[in-house]
Amino acid sequence: MKLASYFTAFIFIGLIACQSGDKSEQTAQTGNANLPSGDVLFTAPADWVEEAPTSSMRRAQFKWAGVEGAADAELAVFFFPGTGGSVQANLSRWYGQFKQPDGSPTAAVAKSEKRMVKDLPVTITYATGTYLKNAGMGMGEAHPTQELTDYALLAAIVETSHGPWFFKATGPDVTIQHW
């Protein structure tokens, strides 16, 4: 599948509806949750299962039901007003959470694309490989790494004047491609 197809599926079917303008306080609604935002409003499709965020750093979290006997995928939404690191720093960290069968760097095989959506720069990336769950989190104490083969990363970084919004989905490739 081409990255443009992922982009269309990930952005335009309702995950992100970007709003231009200099409104300092808008709300994003996901189910019953009201989230403070900068310039991004998003509404999750009805068949995504909203979950309580497993970390205080997450603004929202969704489960995408597994398909073809595969496990569920998880989409985490992050927003750090005024911070969050550069697009490239986040992509590099996320790529470091995957390893390739031939040992090549995930960044070399990842597909990335940058688009403008209603005046906001959006970077989309898709990568597959063995997901090193809990690797490269860079937060607090170390956790054991679980290696999950045939996994994928589908992520978007929306750059706003209030800081970047991060939409990061990980799960079995077949599940990610389905959703």
Side-chain angles (χ1 to χ4, degrees), residues 16-29 34-42 59 77-82 118 120 158-167:
I16 302 172
C18 299
Q19 303 296 314
S20 298
D22 192 22
K23 296 179 183 176
S24 61
E25 220 24 69
Q26 297 177 352
T27 36
Q29 292 189 338
N34 289 322
L35 305 173
S37 72
D39 297 313
V40 176
L41 298 175
F42 66 93
R59 295 296 181 134
V77 181
F78 303 89
F79 176 61
F80 307 104
K118 295 192 178 182
L120 295 175
V158 181
E159 299 173 69
T160 79
S161 61
H162 301 284
W165 277 81
F166 304 94
F167 296 82

